[in-house]
Amino acid sequence: MAQIGRYRFLTIAVVFHLVYIYSIFSIYFVSPIVHGMREHQVENQEAPAKRLVLFVGDGLRADKAFQSFPDPRPVDPDSEEAKVPRPLAPFLRSRVLEHGTFGVSHTRVPTESRPGHVALIAGLYEDVSAVMTGWKLNPVNFDSVFNRSRHTWSWGSPDILPMFEHGAVPGRVYADTYGAEEEEFSKAKDAYHLDEWVFDKVKTLFAEAKTNATLDAELRKEQNVFFLHLLGLDTTGHTHRPYSWQYLHNIQIVDKGVQEITKLIEDFYDDGKTAFVFTADHGMSDWGSHGDGHPDNTRTPLIAWGSGVAAPVVNESGVAKGHEDQFSSDWGLDRVQRHDVSQADVAALMAYLVGVAFPTNSVGELPLSYLDTDLKSKAEALLVNAKEILEMYRVKEETKKSTELYYKPFSGLGDETHSVEYRVSRIQEAIDKGDADNAIRQSYELIQLGLQGLRYLQTYDWLFLRTLVTAGYIGWIVFAITTVVDLHVLGEASQTFRTVPSMIVFSSILVALYSVLFMQQSPSVYYAYAFFPVMFWEEVWARRSALIEGSKALFAHVTSKSEVLKLVLSTIGFFGLLEALVQSYFRREIYTVCYLLATAWPAFYGPDFMRENAATVSSWVLSCVLMSVFTTLPANKVEDLSLIMYGGALMFAVGVLYLLLEKSITANAKSSDDKAPVKALDTTSRSILGVQVGLVALAMIVTRSSVITLEARQSLGAGNIYVGWITLVTSLVLPLAYARQPDRHYLHRLVVIFLQFAPTFIILTISFEGLFYFAFCLCLFSWMHLEHSVYLHKTKPSKPAAVPMNPITPAAVAATDRLRSLEKGAYRALTLADTRIALFFIYLIQSAFFSASNIASVSSFSLDAVARLIPVFDPFSQGALLLLKLLVPFAALSASFGLLNRRIGVAPSALFMLVMALSDVLTLSFFFEVRDEGSWLEIGTGISHFVIAGLLGVFVAGLEMVSGWVVGGVEGGKQEKGLMNGKGTNGKMVNGKHNGKAK
């Protein structure tokens, strides 16, 4: 490969990181869906129920369903009766106490509506990436209880029902949905009307059956299923939070509706042969979101009653079984045994109750404690359940055998004495002998073996793929460091040693890998996983001289014991901060400690430095103290108009002060040795800046109006929405009007960027995020100035001295050379001290993510703010706005970093490339922490952390390009003049040997 230039390096970085981020979905989250299985159904016993009704309270937490609260919407709020706690779902509670079986259904991540309903109705856990393929249609068709029924009637959201209709036998599933515009996502409209719409539709259907003989005949057939999807709770929770009176009142609405539908259906059939199941697809966090593995999101209620369902098991003498975790201690149900299940088990339960075949893709275990039948029938049903799971194992194993070169079978089912056929015959023999308990025990063991076998096949390629990915990431890190050293330390002076034997070796490795992948019919993305490590390590080997020569140059000054000790301590501090960043993903408070420690950083350069840069040091200390506060605040924020306005007022004040004092500010920012006259202020530029300040004020006004309107539960007028959108869009595009005034002072450019995104952080904020934006920008500004001051301090010549022959080592001579070379338009070489700047940059990127609780949790996003612009539920549009808010701090970060590059005289891409090399130490750490089983919290956390860390490489590449545009044409003092005025683009390297053009 030819010498790696700047843009080629960035392209490789982006492609590599995007491909390798996807690797966790090739390794950990491969779709479990296969086809070609035979169906299995309990055939030698009558179905417990002739029909089944499934209620799903979308977004209903288990604790809220059973806890007691004062009446959330009393007729007389001041009455004593209204203040007395009472169960909000008395009918469902009566099913628990007198008629059926209850427990907690544990979901998996992502805790979203689509995967939750797939688990409930199909009995399978979709791979995590499936949620990104769409909300309605299926990436891979799967079997479900609805598809196995005679006919299914369903009512509810257009986001859920169509995927079961499209995946079933044509005409088998009837789906009646309301329009998407009904899902208004604002406080002005009660969402429980969505649930009432569903209940009304069910009542209409049965009312019509009284006059429609054909419909009546269809309804009275056996194996029919009725599905009521109740979205109101989810929408209300997002808008008002699950502890609000609106959410609690919605529980009352659902309970009343379930009671009415239960009575309606029982009266219609009057045969006592209907089974009812009430549950939820996922829970909801205290801040009104879901998606991750927090227990509030993964614990949902499960209540079953009716035909075929066991009566409650009551312990009159104390606490019944199932309550050992204390989660249900305040439900008042301690005497009733709690039967917890995994969410996929519900599909197996429903299939058995209504007498249909188990869905062929189901991994659910039939929960026998919910069944009202004898032990022999339970044993027979559980054996069929085991056969269905083992059928998937058979199909998957045959598929794996057909592609693997050397297949090693699963030991638990791999020989005659442990074969499926032998084990099934043993269980059947126990049933025939009347030893049901033994048969049930063996069936459970066989199910577990089947699931372990499926797990074995699912993870069969893990070792191979993990090795490739690890080699790829390590190869990338070494390759990136090699490129940085070659380009920005040695000035591309190193030689490339690529010999015929080395080319044969690396080519042979790649051909061997590709041959194995081809023979095993591996997915095409596997070829990319194999290509990158070979390419990176071949390039490193060919350019190993750059690492050797660069190491000599970078460490040439480390000659004394004190220098060695300083290097060792610096290295320990470097890796200590990286480890702190890893741990910060689990404990945000680490940022508080790091910011407070950072206040002492300027003191390391001595009292003279502190005195000479008193203003810069003071602003740095102040900004670090301010930033240390945010990670001590709770991640679950509630809407606070006062904090929103305080943040907006600070942003507005910055703009006004700069308008009033621009001339003196920019003049004071000039270096004392810059004798060029201060330019007159540009009227057009100041007018545009004044409009930006006005947009900040307008954003405050429209946001205040929208918040007050929604809090009053009034519909948000079109005026508020239009003005909000106009303000947001105009503020983002207005800086393009500066295109004809490119030669502006760097402070002016920073203020423009700060004001450009200020309205975004006002309109899309619910609490202290605006204050965070102000503090973060102040911290960036202080950091940029402080790093520049440190550089000048370290490179300031103390006295005239002879120039050593080695041009890289002495800092004093480097300063003199720099001043001369910058006038000629050249860049200086990187030094070890620049590693600190790169590490600071990585730290600030992480802080931008976590300090304002933007990604304190995957589900920490609040949709209150986006409801001011998009009141109707639209997950992708609302998600795009939240993503915009998330990315805003990076614009300020890229601008500050780009300006710092110029002010210390390094090449535009040098430090960005160094950051991309170092940041993947975090990525590789999180790669091995990703898991697809264990606690739901661990699964969600692992995915989130790896993706965030992996995207840093893409972020940095994007920031590097944004930075080049942002700081283009910016003026500086004389010490940066060669760079700031567009000179220095010829790629000359100070203290290096390169005199060619930049790559």
Side-chain angles (χ1 to χ4, degrees):
M1 184 181 291
Q3 292 282 33
I4 304 296
R6 171 185 177 186
Y7 294 110
R8 187 182 298 173
F9 179 87
L10 292 177
T11 302
I12 293 173
V14 171
V15 174
F16 166 73
H17 283 92
L18 290 178
V19 170
Y20 265 48
I21 285 171
Y22 188 78
S23 67
I24 63 168
F25 299 110
S26 297
I27 300 173
Y28 300 102
F29 305 108
V30 178
S31 175
I33 300 173
V34 291
H35 299 95
M37 288 81 69
R38 298 184 295 263
E39 67 177 62
H40 290 81
Q41 180 177 354
V42 180
E43 297 177 344
N44 58 348
Q45 52 182 280
E46 181 183 353
K50 293 183 177 180
R51 67 203 67 87
L52 179 133
V53 182
L54 171 63
F55 303 94
V56 175
D58 200 307
L60 178 59
R61 280 167 48 161
D63 54 353
K64 301 301 180 186
F66 298 114
Q67 289 171 340
S68 296
F69 299 91
D71 191 347
R73 200 171 185 178
V75 177
D76 182 7
D78 297 326
S79 67
E80 291 299 323
E81 183 182 357
K83 301 175 183 178
V84 177
R86 80 283 308 278
L88 299 180
F91 175 75
L92 291 172
R93 191 179 186 85
S94 69
R95 305 301 96 179
V96 173
L97 293 172
E98 304 167 9
H99 300 279
T101 306
F102 96 110
V104 173
S105 171
H106 294 278
T107 76
R108 288 190 184 180
V109 293
T111 45
E112 299 288 351
S113 293
R114 177 196 167 90
H117 281 89
V118 170
L120 285 171
I121 298 167
L124 68 97
Y125 299 108
E126 278 193 306
D127 56 295
V128 177
S129 61
V131 75
M132 301 303 296
T133 62
W135 292 81
K136 299 179 181 180
L137 301 181
N138 307 319
V140 181
N141 284 333
F142 51 80
D143 196 13
S144 70
V145 173
F146 295 173
N147 187 47
R148 291 292 163 185
S149 68
R150 184 178 301 277
H151 194 88
T152 293
W153 284 267
S154 60
W155 302 268
S157 168
D159 299 321
I160 298 300
L161 270 55
M163 67 177 173
F164 296 104
E165 180 184 18
H166 289 246
V169 175
R172 181 162 294 178
V173 178
Y174 167 80
D176 190 2
T177 65
Y178 38 75
E181 67 278 359
E182 292 296 318
E183 300 178 23
E184 183 172 336
F185 216 79
S186 70
K187 297 179 180 179
K189 190 172 183 180
D190 291 320
Y192 63 73
H193 76 280
L194 300 175
D195 301 336
E196 292 179 333
W197 182 94
V198 171
F199 295 137
D200 290 341
K201 283 289 185 178
V202 179
K203 295 173 185 176
T204 300
L205 176 74
F206 283 94
E208 184 181 347
K210 295 180 180 178
T211 58
N212 185 329
T214 303
L215 176 60
D216 183 77
E218 285 294 324
L219 289 175
R220 295 187 183 278
K221 291 180 179 179
E222 296 183 4
Q223 297 184 338
N224 283 335
V225 175
F226 303 92
F227 172 41
L228 286 73
H229 176 235
L230 309 172
L231 184 63
L233 283 162
D234 185 71
T235 305
T236 302
H238 285 313
T239 307
H240 299 282
R241 310 291 188 271
Y243 50 76
S244 64
W245 71 263
Q246 292 92 341
Y247 185 87
L248 301 178
H249 177 60
N250 207 144
I251 295 177
Q252 293 179 312
I253 298 294
V254 167
D255 183 71
K256 179 182 177 183
V258 171
Q259 181 179 11
E260 292 175 349
I261 298 304
T262 300
K263 186 176 187 305
L264 172 69
I265 291 177
E266 289 179 338
D267 290 345
F268 181 85
Y269 290 105
D270 195 26
D271 60 1
K273 298 296 288 183
T274 306
F276 299 88
V277 175
F278 179 90
T279 187
D281 54 345
H282 56 75
M284 184 164 291
S285 67
D286 281 341
W287 48 98
S289 300
H290 51 81
D292 68 359
H294 192 280
D296 286 341
N297 296 331
T298 62
R299 294 187 292 210
T300 60
L302 174 62
I303 308 171
W305 70 95
S307 181
V309 179
V313 178
V314 180
N315 184 352
E316 299 292 351
S317 59
V319 178
K321 293 181 179 179
H323 298 276
E324 292 81 6
D325 59 2
Q326 301 299 311
F327 173 57
S328 51
S329 61
D330 60 347
W331 296 358
L333 299 172
D334 289 351
R335 294 184 299 108
V336 182
Q337 185 170 335
R338 196 180 105 193
H339 306 268
D340 287 9
V341 301
S342 295
Q343 193 172 45
D345 299 347
V346 179
L349 172 63
M350 293 191 298
Y352 173 79
L353 289 176
V354 79
V356 300
F358 292 103
T360 55
N361 301 113
S362 173
V363 295
E365 300 177 43
L366 182 63
L368 299 183
S369 60
Y370 280 75
L371 308 183
D372 181 21
T373 187
D374 58 82
L375 276 178
K376 181 181 179 181
S377 297
K378 289 182 179 181
E380 291 173 342
L382 193 62
L383 176 58
V384 175
N385 185 196
K387 290 179 180 178
E388 174 266 321
I389 291 175
L390 290 165
E391 180 68 12
M392 278 192 292
Y393 172 79
R394 180 188 67 81
V395 171
K396 283 194 173 187
E397 185 181 48
E398 289 179 355
T399 303
K400 181 61 67 175
K401 281 182 179 179
S402 67
T403 57
E404 286 295 319
L405 296 179
Y406 303 101
Y407 174 72
K408 182 179 180 181
F410 173 58
S411 59
L413 300 169
D415 53 58
E416 291 186 5
T417 58
H418 298 90
S419 66
V420 173
E421 294 77 10
Y422 176 77
R423 291 177 182 276
V424 169
S425 65
R426 290 285 304 273
I427 297 172
Q428 189 62 57
E429 181 181 341
I431 294 175
D432 294 339
K433 290 181 178 179
D435 191 359
D437 285 327
N438 184 32
I440 290 173
R441 179 184 57 79
Q442 291 188 61
S443 293
Y444 272 128
E445 291 176 356
L446 185 55
I447 287 175
Q448 293 305 313
L449 279 173
L451 294 175
Q452 291 171 18
L454 289 174
R455 176 70 180 169
Y456 173 80
L457 296 173
Q458 193 83 359
T459 62
Y460 194 86
D461 297 325
W462 274 26
L463 179 61
F464 174 68
L465 291 174
R466 279 173 151 179
T467 302
L468 280 182
V469 172
T470 302
Y473 272 117
I474 296 175
W476 159 257
I477 294 171
V478 181
F479 164 77
I481 292 175
T482 303
T483 304
V484 171
V485 169
D486 184 30
L487 285 177
H488 302 299
V489 174
L490 302 175
E492 296 186 77
S494 65
Q495 298 296 317
T496 299
F497 299 99
R498 188 172 274 110
T499 63
V500 173
S502 69
M503 294 175 64
I504 292 175
V505 169
F506 285 103
S507 298
S508 300
I509 293 173
L510 186 61
V511 170
L513 288 173
Y514 277 16
S515 298
V516 171
L517 295 175
F518 178 78
M519 295 180 69
Q520 294 186 168
Q521 303 177 25
S522 301
S524 56
V525 71
Y526 284 22
Y527 292 86
Y529 299 152
F531 173 77
F532 280 110
V534 176
M535 182 194 77
F536 290 148
W537 285 109
E538 192 280 333
E539 190 69 18
V540 169
W541 176 256
R543 295 162 60 197
R544 58 192 181 277
S545 63
L547 286 176
I548 297 172
E549 295 172 15
S551 298
K552 292 178 180 179
L554 289 171
F555 295 101
H557 66 285
V558 184
T559 55
S560 63
K561 292 184 178 180
S562 61
E563 291 291 340
V564 172
L565 179 61
K566 185 185 299 184
L567 178 62
V568 170
L569 293 177
S570 298
T571 303
I572 293 174
F574 175 85
F575 286 103
L577 183 54
L578 282 180
E579 178 60 25
L581 290 178
V582 171
Q583 296 304 318
S584 71
Y585 281 68
F586 305 95
R587 294 190 63 85
R588 294 168 59 235
E589 295 79 5
I590 288 176
Y591 289 99
T592 298
V593 176
C594 290
Y595 272 117
L596 292 177
L597 291 176
T599 59
W601 170 43
F604 285 91
Y605 302 104
D608 291 340
F609 174 83
M610 300 276 284
R611 284 193 297 270
E612 292 172 3
N613 301 278
T616 300
V617 171
S618 298
S619 66
W620 168 254
V621 172
L622 174 63
S623 64
C624 286
V625 171
L626 292 176
M627 287 298 296
S628 71
V629 174
F630 292 104
T631 42
T632 64
L633 301 175
N636 49 323
K637 302 181 291 293
V638 296
E639 192 169 62
D640 190 322
L641 182 57
S642 297
L643 290 178
I644 298 173
M645 292 297 103
Y646 291 151
L650 285 173
M651 300 176 205
F652 181 76
V654 170
V656 171
L657 288 174
Y658 184 78
L659 271 177
L660 296 175
L661 306 174
E662 178 180 6
K663 188 171 183 178
S664 60
I665 291 174
T666 54
N668 290 334
K670 295 281 186 179
S671 176
S672 60
D673 64 343
D674 187 3
K675 298 179 174 54
V678 178
K679 292 184 178 181
L681 298 179
D682 184 87
T683 304
T684 303
S685 178
R686 285 176 59 78
S687 299
I688 298 173
L689 192 65
V691 174
Q692 285 190 280
V693 176
L695 288 172
V696 174
L698 183 58
M700 293 174 63
I701 294 171
V702 70
T703 300
R704 184 176 186 277
S705 174
S706 297
V707 170
I708 292 174
T709 301
L710 293 174
E711 287 291 348
R713 299 181 56 76
Q714 299 175 4
S715 295
L716 200 61
N720 286 70
I721 297 175
Y722 290 147
V723 172
W725 274 110
I726 291 171
T727 304
L728 181 69
V729 174
T730 304
S731 67
L732 295 176
V733 302
L734 185 61
L736 296 177
Y738 287 98
R740 296 188 179 184
Q741 292 84 25
D743 295 327
R744 300 300 305 169
H745 194 278
Y746 74 93
L747 284 178
H748 185 94
R749 187 63 58 87
L750 288 176
V751 173
V752 168
I753 295 169
F754 174 77
L755 295 176
Q756 180 180 14
F757 297 103
T760 303
F761 249 88
I762 295 171
I763 296 173
L764 298 180
T765 188
I766 66 167
S767 184
F768 55 78
E769 299 100 305
L771 297 173
F772 157 77
Y773 179 62
F774 171 82
F776 186 69
C777 290
L778 176 62
C779 185
L780 293 178
F781 177 79
S782 304
W783 173 62
M784 180 189 69
H785 274 274
L786 191 56
E787 285 286 7
H788 182 232
S789 300
V790 168
Y791 179 77
L792 294 180
H793 176 76
K794 298 287 286 185
T795 57
K796 181 173 58 178
S798 57
K799 59 181 179 179
V803 179
M805 294 304 294
N806 189 330
I808 291 180
T809 53
V813 176
T816 304
D817 287 349
R818 174 181 173 273
L819 292 175
R820 292 182 188 142
S821 58
L822 284 179
E823 294 179 355
K824 300 177 183 179
Y827 302 120
R828 72 168 176 85
L830 291 179
T831 65
L832 281 179
D834 294 316
T835 307
R836 181 197 67 249
I837 301 176
L839 192 59
F840 259 112
F841 184 71
I842 295 174
Y843 173 81
L844 289 169
I845 288 179
Q846 303 283 347
S847 178
F849 272 114
F850 290 100
S851 291
S853 308
N854 284 324
I855 304 201
S857 161
V858 171
S859 64
S860 67
F861 297 104
S862 170
L863 297 179
D864 279 357
V866 295
R868 302 167 196 161
L869 298 176
I870 306 177
V872 176
F873 181 64
D874 185 343
F876 294 108
S877 298
Q878 292 172 329
L881 284 178
L882 290 173
L883 184 62
L884 171 64
K885 173 187 170 184
L886 175 68
L887 295 178
V888 162
F890 297 107
L893 179 58
S894 66
S896 299
F897 198 52
L899 287 170
L900 177 60
N901 278 357
R902 290 196 168 197
R903 290 171 65 77
I904 63 176
V906 299
S909 60
L911 291 178
F912 282 102
M913 293 170 71
L914 185 58
V915 168
M916 280 186 274
L918 299 177
S919 64
D920 279 317
V921 175
L922 302 179
T923 309
L924 192 56
S925 300
F926 290 125
F927 174 74
F928 289 101
E929 293 185 11
V930 177
R931 59 189 65 193
D932 64 339
E933 62 178 6
S935 77
W936 296 275
L937 180 59
E938 290 172 337
I939 296 172
T941 299
I943 297 170
S944 305
H945 292 174
F946 174 77
V947 172
I948 293 170
L951 283 174
L952 278 181
V954 181
F955 279 149
V956 173
L959 292 179
E960 201 277 341
M961 291 182 281
V962 170
S963 175
W965 171 77
V966 166
V967 303
V970 175
E971 296 177 347
K974 185 176 181 180
Q975 67 271 26
E976 298 91 10
K977 187 175 180 180
L979 294 173
M980 295 300 185
N981 289 330
K983 301 176 184 177
T985 57
N986 61 354
K988 295 178 183 177
M989 184 68 68
V990 179
N991 301 329
K993 301 177 182 179
H994 172 58
N995 291 313
K997 298 292 182 182
K999 296 288 178 181

